[in-house]
mmCIF file of all heavy atoms in Angstrom:
data_model
loop_
_atom_site.group_PDB
_atom_site.id
_atom_site.type_symbol
_atom_site.label_atom_id
_atom_site.label_comp_id
_atom_site.label_asym_id
_atom_site.label_seq_id
_atom_site.Cartn_x
_atom_site.Cartn_y
_atom_site.Cartn_z
ATOM 1 N N GLU U 1 66.332 146.532 100.015
ATOM 2 C CA GLU U 1 66.836 147.520 100.969
ATOM 3 C C GLU U 1 66.106 147.507 102.313
ATOM 4 O O GLU U 1 66.170 148.469 103.063
ATOM 5 C CB GLU U 1 66.839 148.924 100.361
ATOM 6 C CG GLU U 1 67.745 149.028 99.140
ATOM 7 C CD GLU U 1 67.742 150.393 98.491
ATOM 8 O OE1 GLU U 1 66.932 151.256 98.880
ATOM 9 O OE2 GLU U 1 68.561 150.596 97.574
ATOM 10 N N THR U 2 65.447 146.384 102.641
ATOM 11 C CA THR U 2 64.880 146.237 103.983
ATOM 12 C C THR U 2 66.026 145.963 104.947
ATOM 13 O O THR U 2 66.846 145.083 104.719
ATOM 14 C CB THR U 2 63.864 145.079 104.032
ATOM 15 O OG1 THR U 2 62.817 145.342 103.096
ATOM 16 C CG2 THR U 2 63.274 144.926 105.426
ATOM 17 N N ALA U 3 66.089 146.728 106.022
ATOM 18 C CA ALA U 3 67.191 146.614 106.982
ATOM 19 C C ALA U 3 66.833 145.679 108.131
ATOM 20 O O ALA U 3 65.765 145.801 108.736
ATOM 21 C CB ALA U 3 67.545 147.987 107.535
ATOM 22 N N TYR U 4 67.738 144.741 108.395
ATOM 23 C CA TYR U 4 67.606 143.810 109.516
ATOM 24 C C TYR U 4 68.851 143.937 110.393
ATOM 25 O O TYR U 4 69.952 144.153 109.895
ATOM 26 C CB TYR U 4 67.473 142.368 109.015
ATOM 27 C CG TYR U 4 66.197 142.114 108.261
ATOM 28 C CD1 TYR U 4 66.182 142.107 106.878
ATOM 29 C CD2 TYR U 4 65.004 141.878 108.937
ATOM 30 C CE1 TYR U 4 65.002 141.873 106.179
ATOM 31 C CE2 TYR U 4 63.823 141.642 108.249
ATOM 32 C CZ TYR U 4 63.835 141.637 106.872
ATOM 33 O OH TYR U 4 62.671 141.405 106.181
ATOM 34 N N THR U 5 68.662 143.759 111.687
ATOM 35 C CA THR U 5 69.760 143.876 112.643
ATOM 36 C C THR U 5 70.078 142.523 113.254
ATOM 37 O O THR U 5 69.169 141.814 113.698
ATOM 38 C CB THR U 5 69.391 144.854 113.776
ATOM 39 O OG1 THR U 5 69.025 146.110 113.206
ATOM 40 C CG2 THR U 5 70.552 145.051 114.740
ATOM 41 N N ALA U 6 71.360 142.184 113.265
ATOM 42 C CA ALA U 6 71.834 140.991 113.970
ATOM 43 C C ALA U 6 72.471 141.460 115.270
ATOM 44 O O ALA U 6 73.322 142.357 115.270
ATOM 45 C CB ALA U 6 72.844 140.226 113.134
ATOM 46 N N ILE U 7 72.038 140.862 116.382
ATOM 47 C CA ILE U 7 72.596 141.189 117.689
ATOM 48 C C ILE U 7 73.192 139.898 118.249
ATOM 49 O O ILE U 7 72.488 138.911 118.446
ATOM 50 C CB ILE U 7 71.519 141.737 118.647
ATOM 51 C CG1 ILE U 7 70.759 142.890 117.972
ATOM 52 C CG2 ILE U 7 72.154 142.202 119.965
ATOM 53 C CD1 ILE U 7 69.396 143.134 118.526
ATOM 54 N N TRP U 8 74.510 139.922 118.458
ATOM 55 C CA TRP U 8 75.232 138.761 118.961
ATOM 56 C C TRP U 8 75.467 138.929 120.460
ATOM 57 O O TRP U 8 75.865 139.998 120.916
ATOM 58 C CB TRP U 8 76.591 138.646 118.283
ATOM 59 C CG TRP U 8 76.582 138.475 116.797
ATOM 60 C CD1 TRP U 8 76.556 139.456 115.857
ATOM 61 C CD2 TRP U 8 76.643 137.242 116.076
ATOM 62 N NE1 TRP U 8 76.596 138.910 114.592
ATOM 63 C CE2 TRP U 8 76.648 137.551 114.699
ATOM 64 C CE3 TRP U 8 76.697 135.901 116.456
ATOM 65 C CZ2 TRP U 8 76.707 136.573 113.709
ATOM 66 C CZ3 TRP U 8 76.754 134.935 115.472
ATOM 67 C CH2 TRP U 8 76.756 135.268 114.118
ATOM 68 N N TYR U 9 75.249 137.845 121.208
ATOM 69 C CA TYR U 9 75.499 137.826 122.645
ATOM 70 C C TYR U 9 76.420 136.649 122.964
ATOM 71 O O TYR U 9 76.309 135.588 122.350
ATOM 72 C CB TYR U 9 74.205 137.609 123.434
ATOM 73 C CG TYR U 9 73.156 138.674 123.235
ATOM 74 C CD1 TYR U 9 72.232 138.579 122.195
ATOM 75 C CD2 TYR U 9 73.064 139.758 124.097
ATOM 76 C CE1 TYR U 9 71.253 139.540 122.017
ATOM 77 C CE2 TYR U 9 72.087 140.730 123.924
ATOM 78 C CZ TYR U 9 71.179 140.612 122.881
ATOM 79 O OH TYR U 9 70.206 141.566 122.715
ATOM 80 N N LEU U 10 77.285 136.835 123.926
ATOM 81 C CA LEU U 10 78.083 135.737 124.466
ATOM 82 C C LEU U 10 77.823 135.714 125.964
ATOM 83 O O LEU U 10 78.090 136.717 126.658
ATOM 84 C CB LEU U 10 79.573 135.928 124.173
ATOM 85 C CG LEU U 10 80.459 134.765 124.578
ATOM 86 C CD1 LEU U 10 80.090 133.491 123.811
ATOM 87 C CD2 LEU U 10 81.923 135.088 124.362
ATOM 88 N N ASP U 11 77.277 134.606 126.447
ATOM 89 C CA ASP U 11 76.891 134.468 127.853
ATOM 90 C C ASP U 11 76.023 135.653 128.303
ATOM 91 O O ASP U 11 76.274 136.273 129.341
ATOM 92 C CB ASP U 11 78.121 134.314 128.744
ATOM 93 C CG ASP U 11 78.860 133.016 128.467
ATOM 94 O OD1 ASP U 11 78.204 132.028 128.073
ATOM 95 O OD2 ASP U 11 80.100 132.993 128.638
ATOM 96 N N ASP U 12 75.028 135.979 127.489
ATOM 97 C CA ASP U 12 74.029 137.031 127.761
ATOM 98 C C ASP U 12 74.601 138.454 127.770
ATOM 99 O O ASP U 12 73.934 139.385 128.216
ATOM 100 C CB ASP U 12 73.277 136.758 129.071
ATOM 101 C CG ASP U 12 72.413 135.521 128.983
ATOM 102 O OD1 ASP U 12 71.807 135.296 127.912
ATOM 103 O OD2 ASP U 12 72.338 134.774 129.976
ATOM 104 N N ARG U 13 75.784 138.654 127.248
ATOM 105 C CA ARG U 13 76.377 139.993 127.141
ATOM 106 C C ARG U 13 76.499 140.333 125.665
ATOM 107 O O ARG U 13 77.085 139.576 124.887
ATOM 108 C CB ARG U 13 77.759 140.014 127.808
ATOM 109 C CG ARG U 13 78.411 141.389 127.849
ATOM 110 C CD ARG U 13 79.774 141.345 128.534
ATOM 111 N NE ARG U 13 80.697 140.413 127.914
ATOM 112 C CZ ARG U 13 81.471 140.708 126.866
ATOM 113 N NH1 ARG U 13 81.421 141.900 126.309
ATOM 114 N NH2 ARG U 13 82.294 139.810 126.380
ATOM 115 N N GLU U 14 75.918 141.468 125.270
ATOM 116 C CA GLU U 14 75.979 141.861 123.860
ATOM 117 C C GLU U 14 77.425 142.127 123.449
ATOM 118 O O GLU U 14 78.139 142.876 124.120
ATOM 119 C CB GLU U 14 75.136 143.115 123.598
ATOM 120 C CG GLU U 14 75.096 143.488 122.137
ATOM 121 C CD GLU U 14 74.197 144.675 121.837
ATOM 122 O OE1 GLU U 14 73.129 144.815 122.480
ATOM 123 O OE2 GLU U 14 74.567 145.467 120.959
ATOM 124 N N ILE U 15 77.847 141.485 122.346
ATOM 125 C CA ILE U 15 79.224 141.662 121.879
ATOM 126 C C ILE U 15 79.290 142.316 120.489
ATOM 127 O O ILE U 15 80.334 142.825 120.106
ATOM 128 C CB ILE U 15 80.004 140.331 121.873
ATOM 129 C CG1 ILE U 15 79.298 139.270 121.032
ATOM 130 C CG2 ILE U 15 80.230 139.851 123.297
ATOM 131 C CD1 ILE U 15 80.098 137.982 120.852
ATOM 132 N N LYS U 16 78.187 142.287 119.740
ATOM 133 C CA LYS U 16 78.214 142.906 118.418
ATOM 134 C C LYS U 16 76.790 143.163 117.944
ATOM 135 O O LYS U 16 75.887 142.375 118.209
ATOM 136 C CB LYS U 16 78.935 142.008 117.408
ATOM 137 C CG LYS U 16 79.084 142.635 116.037
ATOM 138 C CD LYS U 16 79.884 141.771 115.086
ATOM 139 C CE LYS U 16 80.026 142.465 113.737
ATOM 140 N NZ LYS U 16 80.774 141.671 112.786
ATOM 141 N N ARG U 17 76.619 144.271 117.222
ATOM 142 C CA ARG U 17 75.345 144.626 116.604
ATOM 143 C C ARG U 17 75.656 145.100 115.192
ATOM 144 O O ARG U 17 76.544 145.921 114.993
ATOM 145 C CB ARG U 17 74.686 145.732 117.420
ATOM 146 C CG ARG U 17 73.331 146.160 116.932
ATOM 147 C CD ARG U 17 72.758 147.222 117.853
ATOM 148 N NE ARG U 17 72.443 146.661 119.155
ATOM 149 C CZ ARG U 17 71.215 146.473 119.613
ATOM 150 N NH1 ARG U 17 70.190 146.810 118.866
ATOM 151 N NH2 ARG U 17 71.010 145.959 120.802
ATOM 152 N N GLU U 18 74.936 144.550 114.223
ATOM 153 C CA GLU U 18 75.233 144.853 112.824
ATOM 154 C C GLU U 18 73.934 144.951 112.026
ATOM 155 O O GLU U 18 73.065 144.090 112.133
ATOM 156 C CB GLU U 18 76.106 143.732 112.257
ATOM 157 C CG GLU U 18 76.530 143.912 110.836
ATOM 158 C CD GLU U 18 77.436 142.783 110.364
ATOM 159 O OE1 GLU U 18 77.512 141.718 111.019
ATOM 160 O OE2 GLU U 18 78.055 142.966 109.316
ATOM 161 N N ILE U 19 73.809 146.004 111.233
ATOM 162 C CA ILE U 19 72.638 146.211 110.385
ATOM 163 C C ILE U 19 73.038 145.985 108.930
ATOM 164 O O ILE U 19 74.034 146.536 108.468
ATOM 165 C CB ILE U 19 72.065 147.633 110.546
ATOM 166 C CG1 ILE U 19 71.635 147.863 111.989
ATOM 167 C CG2 ILE U 19 70.896 147.859 109.583
ATOM 168 C CD1 ILE U 19 71.257 149.297 112.303
ATOM 169 N N LYS U 20 72.249 145.167 108.259
ATOM 170 C CA LYS U 20 72.456 144.931 106.829
ATOM 171 C C LYS U 20 71.110 144.999 106.123
ATOM 172 O O LYS U 20 70.076 144.689 106.712
ATOM 173 C CB LYS U 20 73.110 143.577 106.555
ATOM 174 C CG LYS U 20 74.561 143.508 106.981
ATOM 175 C CD LYS U 20 75.225 142.246 106.469
ATOM 176 C CE LYS U 20 76.705 142.245 106.800
ATOM 177 N NZ LYS U 20 77.377 141.068 106.238
ATOM 178 N N GLU U 21 71.157 145.377 104.840
ATOM 179 C CA GLU U 21 69.944 145.480 104.036
ATOM 180 C C GLU U 21 69.899 144.389 102.982
ATOM 181 O O GLU U 21 70.939 143.949 102.482
ATOM 182 C CB GLU U 21 69.893 146.834 103.322
ATOM 183 C CG GLU U 21 69.759 148.015 104.246
ATOM 184 C CD GLU U 21 69.689 149.332 103.489
ATOM 185 O OE1 GLU U 21 69.940 149.358 102.268
ATOM 186 O OE2 GLU U 21 69.368 150.340 104.136
ATOM 187 N N THR U 22 68.673 143.986 102.629
ATOM 188 C CA THR U 22 68.511 143.042 101.532
ATOM 189 C C THR U 22 68.914 143.743 100.235
ATOM 190 O O THR U 22 68.670 144.936 100.053
ATOM 191 C CB THR U 22 67.057 142.538 101.432
ATOM 192 O OG1 THR U 22 66.177 143.650 101.345
ATOM 193 C CG2 THR U 22 66.692 141.682 102.622
ATOM 194 N N GLU U 23 69.552 143.006 99.355
ATOM 195 C CA GLU U 23 69.989 143.555 98.069
ATOM 196 C C GLU U 23 69.053 143.172 96.937
ATOM 197 O O GLU U 23 69.105 143.763 95.863
ATOM 198 C CB GLU U 23 71.408 143.079 97.756
ATOM 199 C CG GLU U 23 72.438 143.599 98.739
ATOM 200 C CD GLU U 23 73.834 143.083 98.456
ATOM 201 O OE1 GLU U 23 74.014 142.291 97.505
ATOM 202 O OE2 GLU U 23 74.752 143.467 99.193
ATOM 203 N N ASN U 24 68.221 142.146 97.171
ATOM 204 C CA ASN U 24 67.278 141.684 96.154
ATOM 205 C C ASN U 24 65.860 141.909 96.642
ATOM 206 O O ASN U 24 65.603 141.994 97.838
ATOM 207 C CB ASN U 24 67.494 140.195 95.854
ATOM 208 C CG ASN U 24 68.869 139.944 95.277
ATOM 209 O OD1 ASN U 24 69.267 140.538 94.295
ATOM 210 N ND2 ASN U 24 69.618 139.060 95.921
ATOM 211 N N ASP U 25 64.929 141.975 95.711
ATOM 212 C CA ASP U 25 63.539 142.201 96.052
ATOM 213 C C ASP U 25 62.843 140.886 96.407
ATOM 214 O O ASP U 25 63.001 139.887 95.706
ATOM 215 C CB ASP U 25 62.824 142.878 94.870
ATOM 216 C CG ASP U 25 61.503 143.482 95.268
ATOM 217 O OD1 ASP U 25 61.353 143.861 96.442
ATOM 218 O OD2 ASP U 25 60.614 143.591 94.399
ATOM 219 N N MET U 26 62.113 140.876 97.484
ATOM 220 C CA MET U 26 61.240 139.807 97.967
ATOM 221 C C MET U 26 61.943 138.633 98.643
ATOM 222 O O MET U 26 61.364 138.025 99.520
ATOM 223 C CB MET U 26 60.289 139.305 96.871
ATOM 224 C CG MET U 26 59.366 140.404 96.364
ATOM 225 S SD MET U 26 58.638 141.448 97.672
ATOM 226 C CE MET U 26 57.514 140.327 98.447
ATOM 227 N N GLN U 27 63.152 138.257 98.264
ATOM 228 C CA GLN U 27 63.891 137.249 99.033
ATOM 229 C C GLN U 27 65.379 137.423 98.803
ATOM 230 O O GLN U 27 65.813 137.825 97.733
ATOM 231 C CB GLN U 27 63.437 135.830 98.720
ATOM 232 C CG GLN U 27 63.712 135.314 97.353
ATOM 233 C CD GLN U 27 63.323 133.835 97.270
ATOM 234 O OE1 GLN U 27 63.301 133.111 98.255
ATOM 235 N NE2 GLN U 27 63.008 133.395 96.072
#
């Protein structure tokens, strides 16, 4: 359940931001 954020850019303009959590422990 560690949350990581993916931030997508196209030509230096942010187009999407998405947060997802790990479902397994340690990897």
Side-chain angles (χ1 to χ4, degrees):
E1 298 178 352
T2 301
Y4 293 99
T5 304
I7 308 157
W8 299 87
Y9 299 88
L10 186 62
D11 294 330
D12 293 322
R13 185 179 57 85
E14 184 176 324
I15 56 173
K16 184 176 181 181
R17 182 178 292 250
E18 182 178 16
I19 299 171
K20 290 190 175 184
E21 294 181 349
T22 54
E23 295 178 359
N24 297 306
D25 196 28
M26 299 316 290
Q27 67 174 334

